[in-house]
Amino acid sequence: MNNKTIPNTIERTLNDDDYIVSKTDTKGRITYANRIFMTLSSYTEQELLGAPHNIVRHPDMPGLMFKRLWDTLRGGREFHFYTKNLAKDGSYYWVFANVTPSFDQRGQPIGYFSVRRKPKAAGVKTFQELYRSMRQAERRTAGKQAALAASARIYDDFLAAQGANHEAFILALQA
Ligand SMILES: Cc1cc2nc3c(=O)[nH]c(=O)nc-3n(C[C@H](O)[C@H](O)[C@H](O)COP(=O)(O)O)c2cc1C
């Protein structure tokens, strides 16, 4: 997270045909950013290249989503999620993100690739509410592991009530 940025309530939106693309190394440091990523985040290419991808992390996002993202990527699988991102000027933008691991010819992970597009309104509404309660649970629970576990209970109970797993639920919302 860029600590110099103070979040405000100005929202930025993507057009239907906008795709934000970025690539990172295995540690999550940005190695490629397309023009739309720069425009929407208000960062220059110079500022983005080499920066950790959490440069656009918004404080409203629960840590659990990123734990699940990294656990899935390290397991060699792709992950979809809705995320509220923070631009350099403090404004925010919601996206529907897909992140996939990239492998070399021997099957070793060499980095990650992400495409983010305009989210469906229903997806944003659902995850805005979920993230609010997950973030609250994380804030009021002492200890990082316990905080993530409290957040996971909220999310996993929600999914169980829907009778779906994370990927199935998310893909149906964005369909
Ligand atoms: C290819 C790729 C794309 C990512 N895209 C985003 C993103 O759009 N927004 C975001 O907050 N984190 C994104 N992340 C996750 C960040 O690396 C980071 O885990 C997250 O911002 C949480 O920050 P923290 O790990 O410092 O808590 C991405 C990671 C990878 C590998």
Short mmCIF file of all heavy atoms in Angstrom, two decimals, residues 1 3 7-8 12 36 42 47 56 61 70 75 82 86 96 99 105-107 109-110 122 138 141 155 160 164 173-174:
data_model
loop_
_atom_site.label_atom_id
_atom_site.label_comp_id
_atom_site.label_asym_id
_atom_site.label_seq_id
_atom_site.Cartn_x
_atom_site.Cartn_y
_atom_site.Cartn_z
N MET A 1 0.85 -1.19 0.00
CA MET A 1 0.00 0.00 0.00
C MET A 1 0.88 1.24 0.00
O MET A 1 1.91 1.28 0.66
CB MET A 1 -0.87 -0.02 1.25
CG MET A 1 -2.07 0.87 1.16
SD MET A 1 -3.11 0.80 2.65
CE MET A 1 -2.77 -0.79 3.37
N ASN A 3 1.54 4.43 1.42
CA ASN A 3 1.09 5.09 2.65
C ASN A 3 0.89 6.59 2.52
O ASN A 3 0.28 7.21 3.38
CB ASN A 3 2.07 4.79 3.78
CG ASN A 3 2.02 3.31 4.16
OD1 ASN A 3 0.94 2.73 4.17
ND2 ASN A 3 3.16 2.73 4.42
N PRO A 7 -7.12 7.90 1.09
CA PRO A 7 -8.29 7.55 0.27
C PRO A 7 -9.40 8.59 0.36
O PRO A 7 -9.63 9.16 1.44
CB PRO A 7 -8.77 6.23 0.89
CG PRO A 7 -7.63 5.74 1.71
CD PRO A 7 -6.86 6.94 2.15
N ASN A 8 -10.05 8.88 -0.76
CA ASN A 8 -11.21 9.76 -0.75
C ASN A 8 -12.39 9.00 -1.36
O ASN A 8 -12.30 7.80 -1.60
CB ASN A 8 -10.91 11.08 -1.47
CG ASN A 8 -10.51 10.87 -2.93
OD1 ASN A 8 -11.14 10.08 -3.62
ND2 ASN A 8 -9.49 11.57 -3.38
N ARG A 12 -13.62 6.08 -9.80
CA ARG A 12 -13.27 6.04 -11.23
C ARG A 12 -13.85 4.76 -11.80
O ARG A 12 -13.89 3.74 -11.10
CB ARG A 12 -11.77 6.00 -11.42
CG ARG A 12 -11.09 7.24 -10.92
CD ARG A 12 -9.60 7.10 -11.12
NE ARG A 12 -8.94 8.34 -10.84
CZ ARG A 12 -7.83 8.73 -11.44
NH1 ARG A 12 -7.26 7.96 -12.35
NH2 ARG A 12 -7.28 9.88 -11.13
N ILE A 36 -3.86 1.56 -19.75
CA ILE A 36 -5.08 1.78 -18.97
C ILE A 36 -4.79 1.65 -17.47
O ILE A 36 -5.36 2.38 -16.65
CB ILE A 36 -6.19 0.81 -19.42
CG1 ILE A 36 -6.55 1.19 -20.85
CG2 ILE A 36 -7.41 0.88 -18.52
CD1 ILE A 36 -7.72 0.53 -21.44
N SER A 42 -3.35 6.45 -12.00
CA SER A 42 -2.63 7.73 -11.96
C SER A 42 -1.14 7.60 -11.66
O SER A 42 -0.51 8.57 -11.24
CB SER A 42 -3.24 8.69 -10.92
OG SER A 42 -4.46 9.13 -11.32
N GLU A 47 6.86 4.78 -12.08
CA GLU A 47 6.47 4.55 -10.68
C GLU A 47 6.00 3.11 -10.47
O GLU A 47 6.19 2.53 -9.40
CB GLU A 47 5.34 5.50 -10.28
CG GLU A 47 5.80 6.94 -10.12
CD GLU A 47 4.63 7.91 -9.95
OE1 GLU A 47 3.63 7.80 -10.69
OE2 GLU A 47 4.74 8.80 -9.09
N VAL A 56 -1.50 -0.45 -5.26
CA VAL A 56 -2.89 -0.05 -5.48
C VAL A 56 -3.84 -0.66 -4.45
O VAL A 56 -5.06 -0.60 -4.60
CB VAL A 56 -3.40 -0.39 -6.91
CG1 VAL A 56 -2.71 0.47 -7.96
CG2 VAL A 56 -3.23 -1.88 -7.23
N MET A 61 -10.01 -3.18 1.62
CA MET A 61 -9.93 -4.60 1.21
C MET A 61 -9.49 -5.47 2.38
O MET A 61 -8.50 -5.17 3.05
CB MET A 61 -8.93 -4.75 0.06
CG MET A 61 -9.46 -4.31 -1.29
SD MET A 61 -10.87 -5.31 -1.84
CE MET A 61 -10.11 -6.90 -2.14
N TRP A 70 -2.81 -15.46 -2.92
CA TRP A 70 -1.43 -15.96 -2.92
C TRP A 70 -1.38 -17.47 -2.66
O TRP A 70 -0.56 -18.17 -3.25
CB TRP A 70 -0.57 -15.18 -1.93
CG TRP A 70 -0.19 -13.85 -2.51
CD1 TRP A 70 -0.76 -12.63 -2.24
CD2 TRP A 70 0.81 -13.60 -3.51
NE1 TRP A 70 -0.19 -11.65 -3.01
CE2 TRP A 70 0.78 -12.21 -3.79
CE3 TRP A 70 1.71 -14.41 -4.20
CZ2 TRP A 70 1.64 -11.63 -4.73
CZ3 TRP A 70 2.57 -13.82 -5.14
CH2 TRP A 70 2.53 -12.45 -5.39
N GLY A 75 -0.21 -22.49 -5.27
CA GLY A 75 -0.64 -23.85 -5.58
C GLY A 75 -0.69 -24.10 -7.09
O GLY A 75 -1.12 -25.15 -7.53
N TYR A 82 -13.14 -9.82 -6.91
CA TYR A 82 -13.49 -8.41 -7.09
C TYR A 82 -12.59 -7.63 -6.15
O TYR A 82 -12.40 -8.03 -4.99
CB TYR A 82 -14.95 -8.17 -6.69
CG TYR A 82 -15.94 -8.69 -7.71
CD1 TYR A 82 -16.48 -9.97 -7.57
CD2 TYR A 82 -16.33 -7.91 -8.80
CE1 TYR A 82 -17.38 -10.46 -8.51
CE2 TYR A 82 -17.24 -8.41 -9.73
CZ TYR A 82 -17.76 -9.67 -9.58
OH TYR A 82 -18.65 -10.16 -10.50
N LEU A 86 -6.89 1.42 -5.09
CA LEU A 86 -6.62 2.82 -4.72
C LEU A 86 -5.70 3.46 -5.75
O LEU A 86 -4.62 2.95 -6.03
CB LEU A 86 -5.95 2.82 -3.34
CG LEU A 86 -5.60 4.15 -2.69
CD1 LEU A 86 -6.86 4.96 -2.37
CD2 LEU A 86 -4.79 3.91 -1.42
N PHE A 96 -12.98 -6.45 -11.71
CA PHE A 96 -13.08 -7.89 -11.61
C PHE A 96 -11.74 -8.41 -12.11
O PHE A 96 -11.36 -8.17 -13.26
CB PHE A 96 -14.23 -8.41 -12.49
CG PHE A 96 -14.34 -9.90 -12.50
CD1 PHE A 96 -14.78 -10.58 -11.38
CD2 PHE A 96 -13.99 -10.63 -13.63
CE1 PHE A 96 -14.89 -11.96 -11.37
CE2 PHE A 96 -14.10 -12.01 -13.63
CZ PHE A 96 -14.54 -12.68 -12.50
N VAL A 99 -6.04 -13.47 -11.91
CA VAL A 99 -4.58 -13.54 -11.80
C VAL A 99 -4.17 -14.99 -12.05
O VAL A 99 -4.74 -15.92 -11.47
CB VAL A 99 -4.08 -13.08 -10.41
CG1 VAL A 99 -2.55 -12.99 -10.41
CG2 VAL A 99 -4.68 -11.74 -10.00
N GLN A 105 9.44 -23.50 -19.32
CA GLN A 105 9.27 -24.79 -20.02
C GLN A 105 9.38 -25.99 -19.11
O GLN A 105 8.87 -27.06 -19.40
CB GLN A 105 10.30 -24.90 -21.15
CG GLN A 105 9.93 -24.02 -22.33
CD GLN A 105 11.01 -23.98 -23.39
OE1 GLN A 105 12.18 -24.20 -23.08
NE2 GLN A 105 10.62 -23.68 -24.61
N ARG A 106 10.06 -25.81 -17.96
CA ARG A 106 10.19 -26.94 -17.02
C ARG A 106 9.06 -26.96 -15.99
O ARG A 106 9.09 -27.73 -15.04
CB ARG A 106 11.55 -26.88 -16.33
CG ARG A 106 12.71 -27.25 -17.27
CD ARG A 106 14.03 -27.06 -16.57
NE ARG A 106 14.14 -25.69 -16.05
CZ ARG A 106 14.84 -25.35 -14.98
NH1 ARG A 106 15.49 -26.25 -14.30
NH2 ARG A 106 14.88 -24.08 -14.58
N GLY A 107 8.12 -25.99 -16.14
CA GLY A 107 6.99 -25.96 -15.22
C GLY A 107 7.26 -25.20 -13.93
O GLY A 107 6.48 -25.27 -12.98
N PRO A 109 7.38 -21.79 -11.74
CA PRO A 109 6.71 -20.48 -11.83
C PRO A 109 7.71 -19.35 -12.07
O PRO A 109 8.78 -19.32 -11.45
CB PRO A 109 6.05 -20.32 -10.45
CG PRO A 109 6.68 -21.34 -9.57
CD PRO A 109 7.27 -22.41 -10.42
N ILE A 110 7.41 -18.49 -13.04
CA ILE A 110 8.32 -17.38 -13.33
C ILE A 110 7.68 -16.03 -13.05
O ILE A 110 8.33 -15.00 -13.11
CB ILE A 110 8.81 -17.40 -14.81
CG1 ILE A 110 7.63 -17.57 -15.77
CG2 ILE A 110 9.84 -18.50 -15.02
CD1 ILE A 110 8.01 -17.38 -17.23
N ALA A 122 -23.78 -6.06 -9.66
CA ALA A 122 -24.21 -6.99 -8.61
C ALA A 122 -23.02 -7.57 -7.85
O ALA A 122 -23.08 -7.79 -6.64
CB ALA A 122 -25.02 -8.13 -9.23
N GLU A 138 -11.49 -8.31 10.86
CA GLU A 138 -10.02 -8.32 10.90
C GLU A 138 -9.49 -7.23 11.81
O GLU A 138 -8.50 -7.43 12.52
CB GLU A 138 -9.46 -8.15 9.47
CG GLU A 138 -9.72 -9.37 8.59
CD GLU A 138 -9.19 -9.22 7.16
OE1 GLU A 138 -8.38 -8.30 6.88
OE2 GLU A 138 -9.59 -10.04 6.30
N THR A 141 -10.10 -8.11 15.69
CA THR A 141 -9.55 -9.34 16.22
C THR A 141 -8.04 -9.20 16.39
O THR A 141 -7.33 -8.89 15.42
CB THR A 141 -9.85 -10.54 15.28
OG1 THR A 141 -11.25 -10.51 14.96
CG2 THR A 141 -9.49 -11.86 15.93
N TYR A 155 -16.56 -15.20 5.41
CA TYR A 155 -16.62 -15.47 3.96
C TYR A 155 -17.06 -16.90 3.67
O TYR A 155 -17.93 -17.14 2.83
CB TYR A 155 -15.27 -15.17 3.31
CG TYR A 155 -15.34 -15.22 1.80
CD1 TYR A 155 -16.36 -14.53 1.12
CD2 TYR A 155 -14.44 -15.96 1.06
CE1 TYR A 155 -16.46 -14.59 -0.26
CE2 TYR A 155 -14.54 -16.02 -0.33
CZ TYR A 155 -15.54 -15.34 -0.98
OH TYR A 155 -15.65 -15.39 -2.35
N ALA A 160 -21.04 -20.98 1.98
CA ALA A 160 -21.77 -22.21 2.32
C ALA A 160 -23.28 -21.96 2.21
O ALA A 160 -24.02 -22.81 1.70
CB ALA A 160 -21.40 -22.67 3.72
N ALA A 164 -22.06 -22.64 -2.73
CA ALA A 164 -21.08 -22.53 -3.82
C ALA A 164 -19.67 -22.42 -3.27
O ALA A 164 -19.49 -22.09 -2.10
CB ALA A 164 -21.39 -21.31 -4.67
N LEU A 173 -21.45 -14.52 -10.68
CA LEU A 173 -21.79 -13.11 -10.49
C LEU A 173 -21.36 -12.26 -11.68
O LEU A 173 -22.04 -11.32 -12.06
CB LEU A 173 -21.04 -12.57 -9.25
CG LEU A 173 -21.76 -12.54 -7.92
CD1 LEU A 173 -20.83 -11.96 -6.86
CD2 LEU A 173 -23.05 -11.72 -7.98
N GLN A 174 -20.21 -12.58 -12.23
CA GLN A 174 -19.66 -11.76 -13.31
C GLN A 174 -20.18 -12.20 -14.69
O GLN A 174 -19.97 -11.48 -15.67
CB GLN A 174 -18.12 -11.83 -13.25
CG GLN A 174 -17.38 -10.96 -14.24
CD GLN A 174 -17.56 -9.45 -14.02
OE1 GLN A 174 -17.99 -9.02 -12.95
NE2 GLN A 174 -17.28 -8.65 -15.02
#
